[in-house]
């Protein structure tokens, strides 16, 4: 069932000059539903053309689209002025957590839906944190949020951390077998820190065994995805118990996870593979523009998934899994791979916005 819009929705990108903001601009170029009409960033960028504001900090592998080069950057803090030009905004602002919370709610109160890539609102009880294939029903909580904010149309919706995308979808596909314990080690790309090798030369040939705040997010955020909406807020699931280690590795794009799982109802390997490759959600049923046709692929070769071969599966919106085998301590182990700035960041937010449009939460003003 493919949805067609009469005319494109007008979109703003908050934090447009940063790495995730740049990725939004690339993804939204020629998008069938959305047109970027407004770019906003910090006061120091305001009033400059986008090309001047970014300067030599363009981090994408493709050139800056001509269409945005001469757009004048707005001051992101001038909420009313920016909100007046758009139907909704994507948020990738670089501020403190408290500042982000406030500015995203300010845009929502200006009757402008906010689809955020930031972590600030991930644990706000009435803000949905959604992977569109996993927990689209959490968008129901928006009605409670609108009551709290006193808005008709405005709300904040977020997507989860990039590091969980390589294993949370897999565990969701295996839900009927009841995973009870999970050990995951993630090997995370440097673009997850908003960096390239040019700005972080000390990462070449190096591994750093610490990413601030990442392990807590990687252990807790999947439980919120699997939680339930109760009395206008999201109550996180109690199981499975997840423990993680998160390691920065010298890779530009692509987070890999080595995962061990114990089940209440131990399945066969064939059952696990079948559940993964057949797993689909509303984005696939609705044929949303950014949805991967195949959400999770299973690779039989012993040396896959590999970042260099598999990170761009389904335009970076699919998950690649390999090396599924029985374990001597846990029931099974596997290796997962996801694209951290596409599925894990801007691409996941664009897909979320598409689903919010399909569900009528985002409409033209």
């Amino acid at each position: 069932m493919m949805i067609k819009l009469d005319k494109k929705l007008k979109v703003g990108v908050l934090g447009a000059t940063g790495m995730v903001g740049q990725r939004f601009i690339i993804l939204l170029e020629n998008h069938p539903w959305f047109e970027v009409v407004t770019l906003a960033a910090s006061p120091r960028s305001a009033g400059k053309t986008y090309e001047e504001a970014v300067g030599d900090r363009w981090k994408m592998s493709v050139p800056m689209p001509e269409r945005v080069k001469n757009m004048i950057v707005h001051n992101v803090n001038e909420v009313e002025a920016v909100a007046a030009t758009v139907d909704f905004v994507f948020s990738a602002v670089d501020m403190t957590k408290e500042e982000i919370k406030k500015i995203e709610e300010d845009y929502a109160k200006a009757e402008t839906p906010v689809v955020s890539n930031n972590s600030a609102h991930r644990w706000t009880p009435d803000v949905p944190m959604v992977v569109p294939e996993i927990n689209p029903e959490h968008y129901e909580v928006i009605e409670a949020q609108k009551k709290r904010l006193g808005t008709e149309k405005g709300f904040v919706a977020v997507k989860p951390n990039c590091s969980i995308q390589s294993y949370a979808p897999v565990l969701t596909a295996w839900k009927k077998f009841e995973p009870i314990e999970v050990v995951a080690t993630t090997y995370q790309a440097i673009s997850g820190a908003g960096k390239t090798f040019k700005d972080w030369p000390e990462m070449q040939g190096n591994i750093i065994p610490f990413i601030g705040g990442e392990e807590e997010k990687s252990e807790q955020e999947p439980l919120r995805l699997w939680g339930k909406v109760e009395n206008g807020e999201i109550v996180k699931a109690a199981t499975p118990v997840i423990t993680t280690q998160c390691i920065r590795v010298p890779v530009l794009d692509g987070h890999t996870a080595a995962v061990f799982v114990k089940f209440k109802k131990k399945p066969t390997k064939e059952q696990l593979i079948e559940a993964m490759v057949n797993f689909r959600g509303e984005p696939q049923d609705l044929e949303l523009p950014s949805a991967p046709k195949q959400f999770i692929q299973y690779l039989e070769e012993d040396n896959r998934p590999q970042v260099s071969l598999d990170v761009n599966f389904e335009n970076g919106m699919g998950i690649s899994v390999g090396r599924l085998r029985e374990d001597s301590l846990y029931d099974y182990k596997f290796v997962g791979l996801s694209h951290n700035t596409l599925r894990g960041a801007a691409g996941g937010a664009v897909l979320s916005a598409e689903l919010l449009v399909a569900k009528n939460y985002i409409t033209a003003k």
Side-chain angles (χ1 to χ4, degrees):
M1 183 185 107
M2 193 175 267
I3 298 160
K4 291 219 171 1
L5 300 193
D6 297 336
K7 60 177 203 209
K8 290 191 180 187
L9 293 169
K10 294 188 289 207
V11 177
V13 178
L14 313 181
T17 55
M19 193 175 200
V20 176
Q22 293 175 22
R23 178 72 75 183
F24 274 123
I25 284 163
I26 293 294
L27 286 176
L28 295 167
E29 182 73 357
N30 304 318
H31 190 284
W33 295 4
F34 305 146
E35 184 178 358
V36 176
V37 297
T38 303
L39 303 175
S42 66
R44 68 175 177 275
S45 298
K48 297 176 180 169
T49 65
Y50 184 64
E51 192 173 28
E52 288 167 349
V54 172
D56 61 0
R57 293 177 297 122
W58 183 253
K59 295 175 193 276
M60 300 294 105
S61 56
V62 294
M64 184 184 288
E66 289 298 322
R67 209 179 66 80
V68 298
K69 283 184 178 175
N70 294 316
M71 285 173 83
I72 302 297
V73 178
H74 291 249
N75 180 347
V76 73
N77 300 316
E78 292 175 1
V79 175
E80 295 291 338
V82 173
T85 65
V86 296
D87 294 315
F88 76 100
V89 294
F90 289 108
S91 173
V93 289
D94 183 13
M95 299 174 172
T96 67
K97 203 164 254 196
E98 289 314 309
E99 288 170 333
I100 293 171
K101 272 187 171 172
K102 182 178 185 313
I103 201 162
E104 289 183 349
E105 286 202 351
D106 286 349
Y107 274 91
K109 285 173 183 166
E111 297 297 358
T112 304
V114 178
V115 180
S116 178
N117 190 68
N118 297 306
S119 64
H121 272 297
R122 284 188 198 148
W123 290 94
T124 304
D126 59 11
V127 170
M129 178 179 82
V130 170
V131 173
E133 287 87 350
I134 293 178
N135 60 325
E137 70 283 357
H138 283 193
Y139 285 139
E140 293 162 20
V141 84
I142 286 171
E143 295 310 324
Q145 188 195 143
K146 288 201 260 193
K147 276 201 186 87
R148 173 174 66 86
L149 296 174
T151 59
E152 296 273 311
K153 290 171 84 89
F155 62 87
V156 180
V158 299
K159 47 148 288 302
N161 197 36
C162 51
S163 68
I164 73 171
Q165 315 273 344
S166 49
Y167 58 93
V170 180
L171 296 171
T172 307
W174 293 345
K175 222 170 176 173
K176 62 184 172 202
F177 308 117
E178 296 181 39
I180 46 175
E181 280 181 33
V182 177
V183 177
T185 301
T186 55
Y187 303 89
Q188 299 188 203
I190 64 170
S191 58
K195 300 278 206 301
T196 63
F197 286 110
K198 194 177 92 179
D199 15 72
W200 204 1
E202 60 270 34
M203 265 315 294
Q204 295 203 0
N206 193 19
I207 278 179
I208 298 176
F210 173 71
I211 305 170
E214 203 74 0
E215 284 155 7
E216 186 188 8
K217 292 174 192 171
S218 302
E219 291 168 1
Q220 294 299 316
E221 288 187 15
L223 298 174
R224 191 170 198 252
L225 291 181
W226 299 320
K228 291 209 165 22
V229 178
E230 290 176 15
N231 303 320
E233 56 182 60
I234 290 152
V235 180
K236 73 174 186 177
T239 57
V241 177
I242 304 174
T243 181
T244 64
Q245 296 218 69
C246 299
I247 294 171
R248 188 73 73 194
V249 294
V251 162
L252 179 62
D253 292 315
H255 288 355
T256 301
V259 186
F260 299 78
V261 191
K262 197 174 275 183
F263 294 97
K264 204 169 183 177
K265 304 171 179 168
K266 188 179 175 181
T268 64
K269 180 179 173 178
E270 290 66 35
Q271 284 175 310
L272 290 175
I273 292 173
E274 187 190 10
M276 268 191 291
V277 298
N278 291 326
F279 182 61
R280 52 190 282 124
E282 288 188 16
Q284 287 70 37
D285 295 339
L286 295 168
E287 297 177 45
L288 298 177
S290 302
K293 285 189 173 47
Q294 180 72 39
F295 183 31
I296 306 173
Q297 69 167 342
Y298 184 71
L299 301 159
E300 297 284 352
E301 300 90 331
D302 285 340
N303 63 350
R304 305 279 286 278
Q306 288 180 30
V307 169
S308 60
L309 299 175
D310 304 309
V311 76
N312 290 313
F313 169 60
E314 289 279 15
N315 299 317
M317 292 296 287
I319 315 293
S320 299
V321 175
R323 304 212 66 213
L324 176 66
R325 58 225 193 273
E326 288 202 52
D327 183 56
S328 54
L329 203 56
Y330 282 71
D331 289 328
Y332 286 93
K333 52 192 167 189
F334 70 92
V335 175
L337 169 68
S338 61
H339 197 305
N340 56 295
T341 66
L342 287 169
R343 169 56 75 167
V350 172
L351 185 60
S352 297
E354 291 167 2
L355 186 55
L356 285 161
V357 170
K359 287 177 167 292
N360 272 330
Y361 288 105
I362 294 176
T363 53
K365 280 186 180 172

